[in-house]
Amino acid sequence: METKIVYGVKYYIEDIGTEFELFKTLSDAEKFWNNKSFDKITPMKIVKGIVSVNSLIENNNDEIQLKNDFDFKTIDIIKTNA
């Protein structure tokens, strides 16, 4: 099974709850983390993880998503909002 390293940001949205977003690079994840234009979003954690290449879906905006959330395996915690 071929795997790929990706980065995820777990964040909290007022009135919705906790969400998780995937990124191809650490730089992209950090840009999301540092984006102050999101009024109701509070970043919680950036993680490095591995996923099966077959579990990834790439949309027209070059964003990646998982077919199944359980396919993501965290291998390192990069940053937390403590």
Side-chain angles (χ1 to χ4, degrees):
M1 171 174 72
E2 186 180 354
T3 60
K4 184 171 184 153
I5 293 178
V6 295
Y7 298 87
V9 177
K10 184 177 182 179
Y11 56 96
Y12 178 79
I13 303 175
E14 289 180 32
D15 303 326
I16 295 176
T18 304
E19 296 286 330
F20 187 77
E21 194 80 31
L22 280 181
F23 299 91
K24 292 180 183 180
T25 67
L26 178 56
S27 175
D28 289 341
E30 288 176 329
K31 284 178 190 172
F32 180 84
W33 178 279
N34 293 319
N35 188 342
K36 302 300 182 206
S37 66
F38 301 129
D39 290 338
K40 296 184 177 188
I41 293 179
T42 304
M44 299 167 63
K45 186 185 301 186
I46 297 178
V47 296
K48 179 179 181 180
I50 57 172
V51 296
S52 166
V53 173
N54 296 332
S55 296
L56 290 174
I57 301 169
E58 193 168 333
N59 67 20
N60 293 337
N61 297 329
D62 208 27
E63 299 168 335
I64 56 175
Q65 297 176 326
L66 289 174
K67 291 179 184 175
N68 300 303
D69 289 340
F70 58 84
D71 290 332
F72 182 87
K73 180 179 179 191
T74 299
I75 56 175
D76 195 14
I77 296 172
I78 306 294
K79 183 186 284 190
T80 61
N81 191 4

